[in-house]
Amino acid sequence: MFSDADAASLYDLLNPWDPDRRPDSGFYFPFVMGAESVLDVGCGTGTMLHLARERGHRGRLVGLDPNRAALDRARRRTDIEWVESTAAEAAPRTDFELATMTGHAFQDLVTDRDVRHSLAAIHGALRPDGRFVFETRHPQARAWEKWTPSNPDDVVEVIDEANRTLRYWHNVDSIVGDLITIRGTVAQPDGTVLRVLREDLRFLDVVALEGFLAEAGFEIEAQYGDWNREPITASSPEIITIARRR
């Protein structure tokens, strides 16, 4: 058996939140700690907000995610608000100073409707001049070409909370326009498959992304091509955006 709870636990092992060691975490964390109210869209297991509270954040922290198993792990902290929903469905009308969408969660918005409704909801959740900070992989970097078990860097071995040794790797199932369907396989060391996790990811380019943001009422304060805040180029791995509500 490899349950939804096991999958949520594995996610934490594969994607640790550590602003002292990881450049992506280090980029976001000062924004979170500097805002009195934070809405984390696609919060997953809530590790970013957990650490913010542990390190002294005293304001309002809200995590939003449709994955119940992930939120079950997040809810181990009760001094943070957790909402089981997508941004578009929750439509939280309030006055957050900051909204975030980390871990390339923005790429799970796979249709124009998903993008428009989610951005409208996030815009509505922010106070005037509030910021939305998020990232999406730059399509010209073609990250999916490395998501294959033939790439040693894409095959990860971990020991989970049940003391099982697990191997995890990706395959790309299809590429249709800007939509990539991937398959994550969880297996025992001998190759016995325990779980297959499928996901659709959308790779919007800079022009399309800017169009959606402008339509939703955001202006772009800054954009970077990597976590060191270098300018976006054709070879940049990321499109990291700081957008401000008009």
Side-chain angles (χ1 to χ4, degrees), residues 4-97:
D4 290 346
D6 291 329
S9 170
L10 177 63
Y11 180 86
D12 280 349
L13 289 174
L14 297 174
N15 303 277
W17 184 267
D18 188 348
D20 301 322
R21 296 175 182 269
R22 290 177 56 100
D24 53 348
S25 305
F27 179 91
Y28 279 104
F29 209 55
F31 288 102
V32 173
M33 296 303 290
E36 65 181 29
S37 54
V38 181
L39 174 65
D40 187 19
V41 181
C43 67
T45 59
T47 52
M48 180 178 75
L49 299 185
H50 284 191
L51 187 60
R53 199 61 100 198
E54 288 170 14
R55 294 199 178 178
H57 197 291
R58 294 292 176 262
R60 187 182 182 201
L61 300 176
V62 179
L64 182 73
D65 201 285
N67 187 313
R68 179 168 297 179
L71 281 185
D72 284 345
R73 288 182 67 81
R75 289 187 171 116
R76 291 180 295 181
R77 276 203 83 107
T78 58
D79 53 358
I80 298 168
E81 299 173 53
W82 306 107
V83 181
E84 185 182 335
S85 178
T86 65
E89 292 167 343
R93 297 283 167 176
T94 185
D95 60 345
F96 287 96
E97 183 178 342

Side-chain angles (χ1 to χ4, degrees), residues 107 137-155 169-175 177 179-183 201 203 234-235 237:
Q107 291 186 250
R137 297 178 184 90
H138 198 311
Q140 292 188 25
R142 303 178 70 84
W144 60 86
E145 292 182 347
K146 298 178 182 178
W147 296 343
T148 168
S150 63
N151 175 12
D153 292 336
D154 192 58
V155 181
W169 67 85
H170 296 99
N171 293 90
V172 175
D173 281 347
S174 67
I175 302 173
L179 192 66
I180 312 291
T181 300
I182 64 171
R183 174 169 28 105
L201 298 173
F203 284 74
S235 61

Side-chain angles (χ1 to χ4, degrees), residues 88 106-119 178-179 200-204 212:
F106 189 85
Q107 291 186 250
D108 289 326
L109 306 176
V110 297
T111 69
D112 287 358
R113 183 180 185 276
D114 291 337
V115 175
R116 288 192 172 103
H117 284 214
S118 298
L119 286 177
D178 59 12
L179 192 66
D200 293 328
L201 298 173
R202 191 173 184 188
F203 284 74
L204 288 173
F212 281 119

